[in-house]
Amino acid sequence: MPSETGNVLPEWLKKEYRGAQWIRVDLHLHSPGVNSFKFPAGLSARHKEQVVQAYVAQLKAQGIKIAAITDYQQIRTEWFQLIREKALAKGIYIYPGVELSFGGDVAGKYGLHVLAIFPFDMDAETINRTIDKMLDDVDEPLVNSDGTHRDLRPRTNLTESLARLRRETDCLFIFPHPNDSKGLLKSFQPDRAAEILAAICPEAIEELTDGDRDRLRSTGRIDTNRIDRIATVLNSDNHSIDEIGTKRLSDDSPRATYLKLSVLDDLGAIRLALRDHQILAHVGEKPEPAHTRIEAVEIDGTGFLGSLCLALSSELNVLIGGRGVGKSALLEVIRYGLDLRLYAPTEYREGLPRYALGSGGKVTLVMRQVVGPGVERRFRLERVLGEETRVYELDGEGEHPVPLTARDIIGEQDVPLFFGQREIYEITQSASLRRQLLDELIGGTAHRQTQKIRQLQEKLRHNARRLLEVQVQRARRAEVEQRLREIEHEIRLFERHGIADKLQEETALARDEERLGRLEGICRKLVEEWREMQSRWKDRLQHTLEGLAQAESQQKRLLQEDATRIVQDLQAGFAELFHRGDQELQKAESGIATIRQRWDEGRQALGEELRRIRQELGARALDPDRLIHLTREQARLAQELQVLQQVEMETQSLETERRQLLQQLREARREAFKLRTDQGDAITQHIGTRVRVEVIHRGQRKEYADRLVEFFSGSKIPRRDLEAVANDENLADGLALVEVARKGKEELTRKTALSDAQAQRLLDFLNEKEGRWYELELLAPEDEVRVSLKINGRWIKLEDLSPGQRATAMLLILLTRTRRPLLIDQPEDDLDNRFVYEDIVKLLRAHKGEFQLIVATHNANIPVLAHAELIVALEAESDRAHIAVQGGMDHRRIQEEVRRVMEGGEEAFRRRAEKYGLEVLP
């Protein structure tokens, strides 16, 4: 089980959750008042207080919060009242009940046991009198003084007697141990058993198997809907305290029943849970949510939602109330706290957090993330208005700040999805947003793939920049080569006049001085790099030592001592090496400085000789200083040419790299398409009877055409011609267009619908700036997500649907595929109520327990028929919102609020009653 972190949760969160949750119930218990009960060692009926204390302690130890004591024929009031009183003090609710025992003369071959559970506050003596009067026509006592009992002998037949008891007391019925002594399937043949079930329609049968259901259904004596309404339950049927909640089935699974409830003292809530057992009842191990969810939201501020605190269900949460009570504001504040993206940002939407929080206001969220089976993490996220979200991880030792964003810490696979009032509408209008939504539903895999595409595109842009730089360098090489030829030609003039020989020493000196200058530069660069490397390595080793010191596992000494010693030895070795390196570099710098000094001194000694030579040549037409300048320039350019000659090799490498990157980009886009296709197919497979999703490779041609027109702006190529190019199936993308265009105008006109003149304009435009070729290679149409909705047997494309039908299609997709928390604001504004009832409610029920949904809605079908675990009724008063009432769908005040403020509330409850047979049956 995940470790508990409750000790670091806000106090209000520990006690304030008001919605439905899984409650362990045991509706077949016996008290010490029955003859077959075995008292604990050393105790007897005389030790009533100790026995009852032990009884209640066992209930609490087994996590049983609702129980029914069902002693045979009558309630043993002296035991029942005491157990009930002590249990209630521990938060355990004990319902009055009776195990009715009918003999074989009135109930089949061997007789029949039926559990009757009565309303929580019904008087026990009244129940006993009712049973005695209604179900028995004999004057003998039903229960003897020693706790034994006799079988019931009703005035009327079995089914009429039980039906009358239900009408008079509003009790519910459970058939216990159906395949054992006095069990329904033991005493009756399947056809008669089916008739009894059809007449009585019990709420549950103990240990009813799928095979039992099939046999009963095959008789044709009971309607399928009725047999499907009957829940399977597992109870203790104890005859000692130790047996309470501890019995197990043959496969070692616990004999335990859990009902989803928010109120514990209402038999109507239990009846509803048993009738709607597909989503509200569970046997065996307690269901635990296996998905990431938001546990609570707390708002501190002076704004409209100031001081609001709300603990949330891990399943369906519904915000209700009239207009302007804060439903949308609350969802927006949660979005703000998580820093979730908006699909349709507006000034109004972006201003809601300020309105809700007020200046300096803060929203705090508690999230629980499921990492894997049995592994969970808890986070507290808080955001002050105008600041970034701060994240703290909660564990058994406290909370620790996490220097990451909410999206980073939760991960793409678990980060909640948010859809405000306009989001779904905008998505139905935008092909680009539909693709983004599909990627969101795919989650981390799609995020990594789109990130890979962006990285490849950035690498290609960098490659293009380098290629353009290289082209400039190649042009520079031609200039350098030309200049060297000119210099060589001019130096030959000096040589023909004998000046070069006379100035040979001076020109050689100039060339050597260039060499000495390069040596000085290299030495300075080495010193800089050496010092930079020293600093970097020292920091890295010190950081490593600090990390080793923080080791915390059982083997931490290996890191804190042995590994630390190795790093310290490495530090000492490097310190010695760096010291020696510093000495060698200083020695080299000193030596070069000495050479420079001697060089300058030697050159000064030559100065007089060179002055004499210049005087001798002074009458000549050629300037001796010119030769010296040319010689120096020649040495410098010769060195530059060596560098530029390497550019040719780099150009080839860059061009090869570009071809590879372009191929990788195409493959990455293809892989993204496959991911989207798989997701679209999965959606279609889940809801193919209503919604179909197709992904068309590079299908967004209109958007591509717009981008192509924008790219060629200023080329004077008509828009219609560019649109024709964009829609040409033989030119899949910008890269394909480049490949054709590089072959020349003839090929371009042959492969496209462009005229000679337009093809030439296209080439001229691209050639005007070489970078345009590279930019065009990256243009490509995105995949198109096509959605169709089936209406009256026909598939209709999203574009041809009404706004309400479009919203329906998108909402069905969201509810089908996401396993992340989903926040939706009033989706029914555009929805047809028929679609809500027939499609959305079914999906919500089908995926119960798989993801968290927080929805603001006015449509009663969503909370009533999908059975919301938590309904929060908001009200506004004096410019402040507050929670009027909150609870599960079984809460009476919540039901009143739903009827009062929600559209179609009464109709939704009527539908539910009809569906689950909640009317009093005859």
Side-chain angles (χ1 to χ4, degrees):
M1 293 293 292
S3 61
E4 287 299 321
T5 57
N7 58 317
V8 293
L9 289 179
E11 284 299 320
W12 63 268
L13 177 56
K14 297 179 187 178
K15 59 185 178 182
E16 285 296 324
Y17 176 65
R18 304 287 180 81
Q21 53 192 314
W22 289 110
I23 302 295
R24 185 172 182 182
V25 304
D26 200 322
L27 302 178
H28 188 181
L29 292 178
H30 292 292
S31 78
V34 298
N35 178 261
S36 58
F37 192 88
K38 296 179 181 178
F39 285 89
L43 298 178
S44 67
R46 295 193 304 275
H47 307 91
K48 187 170 291 185
E49 284 286 341
Q50 294 110 301
V51 171
V52 169
Q53 287 179 0
Y55 196 103
V56 173
Q58 181 70 2
L59 288 170
K60 188 170 183 63
Q62 297 304 314
I64 297 170
K65 291 189 176 181
I66 292 178
I69 294 181
T70 53
D71 290 338
Y72 301 107
Q73 310 300 54
Q74 295 273 280
I75 297 173
R76 308 317 194 251
T77 55
E78 71 280 7
W79 287 101
F80 173 78
Q81 298 292 7
L82 189 55
I83 292 173
R84 178 179 180 138
E85 176 186 331
K86 299 294 184 183
L88 195 58
K90 298 291 184 179
I92 302 170
Y93 292 77
I94 305 295
Y95 280 75
V98 173
E99 184 166 5
L100 303 171
S101 178
F102 298 91
D105 53 339
V106 295
K109 187 175 181 180
Y110 304 107
L112 181 68
H113 281 186
V114 180
L115 301 179
I117 316 297
F118 299 92
F120 181 76
D121 56 359
M122 192 169 184
D123 178 66
E125 292 293 355
T126 301
I127 294 170
N128 286 343
R129 288 195 298 271
T130 301
I131 292 172
D132 193 35
K133 173 184 174 184
M134 193 178 301
L135 299 183
D136 195 63
D137 195 28
V138 179
D139 291 335
E140 300 174 19
L142 279 170
V143 178
N144 301 316
S145 59
D146 62 356
T148 58
H149 64 277
R150 66 172 176 82
D151 287 336
L152 289 164
R153 298 169 191 168
R155 297 185 181 87
T156 57
N157 64 48
L158 176 70
T159 56
E160 289 177 356
S161 299
L162 291 175
R164 184 182 175 192
L165 181 65
R166 174 181 267 157
R167 286 196 303 271
E168 294 289 334
T169 65
D170 196 29
C171 66
L172 61 81
F173 291 132
I174 299 174
F175 284 92
H177 44 75
N179 292 294
D180 292 331
S181 176
K182 291 199 172 184
L184 176 70
L185 302 180
K186 184 80 170 179
S187 287
F188 296 95
Q189 292 298 315
D191 55 350
R192 178 55 184 152
E195 290 173 349
I196 292 172
L197 293 177
I200 298 173
C201 199
E203 279 72 12
I205 300 177
E206 288 183 346
E207 294 187 61
L208 183 66
T209 67
D210 290 340
D212 293 335
R213 287 184 190 273
D214 291 340
R215 282 194 300 275
L216 292 166
R217 191 180 289 111
S218 67
T219 65
R221 304 294 179 90
I222 184 171
D223 180 79
T224 296
N225 289 333
R226 287 211 168 185
I227 190 67
D228 288 344
R229 287 179 195 152
I230 301 173
T232 297
V233 294
L234 297 174
N235 298 308
S236 291
D237 191 10
N238 69 304
H239 290 276
S240 71
I241 290 176
D242 290 342
E243 287 183 344
I244 296 175
T246 61
K247 289 185 176 181
R248 306 187 80 83
L249 299 176
S250 58
D251 62 359
D252 201 40
S253 60
R255 290 179 58 90
T257 297
Y258 292 89
L259 301 181
K260 192 174 287 185
L261 302 167
S262 71
V263 292
L264 308 187
D265 60 353
D266 187 346
L267 188 68
I270 295 175
R271 173 178 282 112
L272 172 62
L274 293 172
R275 285 279 195 243
D276 196 3
H277 58 89
Q278 287 87 354
I279 64 170
L280 302 182
H282 183 83
V283 295
E285 299 288 350
K286 181 180 180 180
E288 296 289 351
H291 55 272
T292 296
R293 64 268 189 197
I294 304 167
E295 291 189 295
V297 55
E298 179 181 16
I299 298 170
D300 177 24
T302 59
F304 184 65
L305 296 182
S307 302
L308 187 144
C309 297
L310 181 63
L312 295 163
S313 167
S314 63
E315 300 184 51
L316 176 56
N317 302 265
V318 178
L319 308 178
I320 68 173
R323 303 286 180 183
V325 298
K327 302 186 298 297
S328 297
L330 179 55
L331 289 174
E332 285 287 349
V333 165
I334 295 174
R335 180 203 65 77
Y336 183 74
L338 293 168
D339 197 22
L340 303 179
R341 62 166 291 182
L342 280 171
Y343 279 87
T346 64
E347 185 176 347
Y348 166 73
R349 295 281 300 285
E350 293 174 342
L352 272 179
R354 177 172 294 279
Y355 168 70
L357 298 175
S359 179
K362 180 178 72 173
V363 56
T364 300
L365 300 166
V366 177
M367 285 198 71
R368 190 189 287 260
Q369 181 188 25
V370 177
V371 180
V375 181
E376 295 185 350
R377 301 172 73 186
R378 236 175 186 164
F379 301 99
R380 180 171 66 83
L381 302 93
E382 62 176 42
R383 188 174 188 183
V384 176
L385 187 67
E387 299 180 7
E388 296 298 318
T389 298
R390 293 190 293 272
V391 182
Y392 303 86
E393 184 161 7
L394 312 179
D395 57 32
E397 298 177 0
E399 64 177 35
H400 317 282
V402 181
L404 297 170
T405 67
R407 184 174 288 268
D408 289 335
I409 196 66
I410 299 168
E412 291 292 333
Q413 203 67 37
D414 289 328
V415 69
L417 295 173
F418 177 86
F419 296 91
Q421 291 184 33
R422 287 194 57 81
E423 247 80 4
I424 293 177
Y425 173 78
E426 292 294 337
I427 290 170
T428 64
Q429 298 293 305
S430 168
S432 177
L433 289 180
R434 287 199 295 276
R435 187 187 69 255
Q436 291 178 37
L437 173 61
L438 196 64
D439 287 348
E440 285 271 18
L441 295 178
I442 296 170
T445 309
H447 175 73
R448 288 188 291 273
Q449 192 62 29
T450 53
Q451 197 172 42
K452 180 179 179 180
I453 291 171
R454 287 194 294 270
Q455 289 170 349
L456 286 169
Q457 290 173 327
E458 188 52 43
K459 286 181 180 179
L460 282 161
R461 292 187 184 98
H462 180 270
N463 172 275
R465 288 193 295 270
R466 186 61 191 136
L467 275 170
L468 292 172
E469 291 170 1
V470 164
Q471 288 171 13
V472 172
Q473 290 175 315
R474 291 173 73 183
R476 172 63 180 162
R477 177 184 174 182
E479 295 175 8
V480 170
E481 288 175 337
Q482 176 63 24
R483 180 56 185 155
L484 282 172
R485 286 193 292 269
E486 293 172 355
I487 290 171
E488 290 171 0
H489 175 72
E490 197 170 348
I491 288 175
R492 281 197 292 272
L493 292 176
F494 283 94
E495 289 174 346
R496 283 199 297 269
H497 288 80
I499 297 174
D501 292 338
K502 292 184 179 294
L503 293 177
Q504 182 177 5
E505 181 60 27
E506 171 71 6
T507 55
L509 196 67
R511 285 193 292 268
D512 287 347
E513 189 162 15
E514 284 287 329
R515 295 183 177 101
L516 177 58
R518 286 198 299 275
L519 174 60
E520 290 173 322
I522 289 171
C523 188
R524 285 193 298 271
K525 185 66 174 175
L526 286 174
V527 170
E528 291 174 5
E529 292 177 351
W530 179 254
R531 289 173 180 167
E532 182 184 345
M533 184 176 69
Q534 283 188 61
S535 176
R536 187 169 63 250
W537 284 23
K538 286 179 180 178
D539 290 346
R540 187 172 298 173
L541 289 173
Q542 185 58 38
H543 181 71
T544 302
L545 283 175
E546 292 170 359
L548 293 172
Q550 296 173 3
E552 54 189 359
S553 68
Q554 293 181 355
Q555 302 212 78
K556 63 183 180 182
R557 290 183 60 187
L558 285 174
L559 300 182
Q560 292 176 344
E561 297 178 6
D562 297 2
T564 296
R565 193 180 307 112
I566 292 172
V567 176
Q568 289 172 340
D569 291 344
L570 195 59
Q571 279 182 318
F574 278 155
E576 183 180 349
L577 177 63
F578 290 143
H579 179 68
R580 287 207 313 271
D582 289 339
Q583 290 178 327
E584 292 298 325
L585 285 170
Q586 289 171 5
K587 180 180 176 182
E589 282 186 304
S590 177
I592 293 171
T594 301
I595 291 171
R596 166 58 75 177
Q597 183 179 1
R598 291 170 60 193
W599 176 275
D600 291 342
E601 291 172 354
R603 181 169 183 136
Q604 188 176 4
L606 292 171
E608 185 60 30
E609 178 64 19
L610 293 173
R611 185 184 61 78
R612 185 188 61 78
I613 291 172
R614 286 190 178 90
Q615 286 179 342
E616 181 184 332
L617 297 174
R620 303 281 183 92
L622 298 175
D623 182 1
D625 287 337
R626 174 65 176 166
L627 177 59
I628 294 171
H629 172 76
L630 290 172
T631 302
R632 289 177 175 174
E633 186 180 2
Q634 184 185 47
R636 179 177 58 76
L637 291 177
Q639 179 67 24
E640 184 180 353
L641 183 60
Q642 289 181 4
V643 175
L644 293 174
Q645 284 172 338
Q646 297 175 0
V647 167
E648 284 298 330
M649 295 180 59
E650 185 180 0
T651 301
Q652 294 175 9
S653 174
L654 287 169
E655 288 175 346
T656 300
E657 178 192 46
R658 187 165 192 83
R659 287 193 295 272
Q660 293 172 346
L661 287 172
L662 286 169
Q663 180 59 30
Q664 291 172 23
L665 180 59
R666 273 185 166 171
E667 291 171 356
R669 284 171 169 161
R670 175 72 181 174
E671 186 60 33
F673 161 72
K674 289 169 63 179
L675 288 171
R676 291 163 183 153
T677 298
D678 291 344
Q679 183 74 351
D681 290 346
I683 292 170
T684 301
Q685 184 176 353
H686 274 76
I687 48 175
T689 57
R690 179 64 79 181
V691 175
R692 185 167 62 196
V693 177
E694 299 174 273
V695 181
I696 311 302
H697 191 222
R698 301 193 185 107
Q700 283 188 226
R701 289 284 167 173
K702 183 180 183 304
E703 181 190 74
Y704 174 56
D706 292 340
R707 293 169 64 198
L708 212 58
V709 169
E710 181 182 358
F711 177 81
F712 282 103
S713 176
S715 67
K716 298 183 180 180
I717 303 174
R719 180 184 182 92
R720 64 177 180 277
D721 291 335
L722 291 171
E723 288 176 343
V725 170
N727 290 304
D728 191 332
E729 293 182 358
N730 297 316
L731 296 173
D733 51 24
L735 177 56
L737 179 58
V738 166
E739 289 170 347
V740 172
R742 286 200 184 275
K743 295 177 182 178
K745 183 177 70 172
E746 290 76 13
E747 185 72 4
L748 193 56
T749 54
R750 190 174 71 83
K751 289 289 185 71
T752 70
L754 294 174
S755 65
D756 284 352
Q758 303 303 352
Q760 188 60 56
R761 285 179 180 174
L762 186 145
L763 292 173
D764 291 344
F765 181 81
L766 292 174
N767 289 325
E768 186 178 337
K769 293 182 180 179
E770 181 63 23
R772 287 173 177 169
W773 290 93
Y774 300 137
E775 291 175 34
L776 182 56
E777 286 178 331
L778 298 185
L779 289 184
E782 294 284 359
D783 297 333
E784 182 183 8
V785 179
R786 294 181 182 174
V787 178
S788 302
L789 184 67
K790 195 171 189 178
I791 299 177
N792 298 326
R794 293 176 54 243
W795 287 105
I796 303 175
K797 292 188 298 184
L798 195 71
E799 294 77 9
D800 299 329
L801 296 171
S802 69
Q805 292 166 339
R806 291 182 187 182
T808 298
M810 299 313 300
L811 198 55
L812 291 176
I813 290 171
L814 285 174
L815 297 177
T816 300
R817 296 306 298 165
T818 187
R819 293 298 173 267
R820 293 183 265 172
L822 183 60
L823 286 68
I824 301 180
D825 186 14
Q826 300 179 85
E828 76 286 343
D829 282 1
D830 289 319
L831 295 181
D832 185 298
N833 195 52
R834 177 170 59 94
F835 288 121
V836 173
Y837 176 65
E838 294 180 358
D839 296 307
I840 293 171
V841 165
K842 288 181 180 178
L843 277 176
L844 288 173
R845 292 175 59 85
H847 295 290
K848 275 282 184 185
E850 295 179 7
F851 68 98
Q852 182 185 47
L853 176 62
I854 307 172
V855 58
T857 180
H858 296 286
N859 191 301
N861 285 312
I862 291 176
V864 175
L865 298 177
H867 199 89
E869 279 70 25
L870 177 66
I871 296 178
V872 181
L874 293 171
E875 289 182 349
E877 186 177 350
S878 301
D879 297 326
R880 279 293 183 97
H882 67 274
I883 297 173
V885 61
Q886 57 177 310
M889 200 59 250
D890 52 1
H891 194 293
R892 295 298 176 98
R893 276 200 62 197
I894 288 293
Q895 294 171 15
E896 293 170 4
E897 281 297 300
V898 169
R899 287 185 168 94
R900 185 176 70 85
V901 305
M902 300 194 78
E903 298 168 3
E906 197 62 52
E907 175 66 13
F909 280 108
R910 184 189 63 77
R911 282 178 171 171
R912 187 182 71 169
E914 290 177 356
K915 183 174 178 63
Y916 301 112
L918 296 177
E919 72 277 8
V920 177
L921 298 173

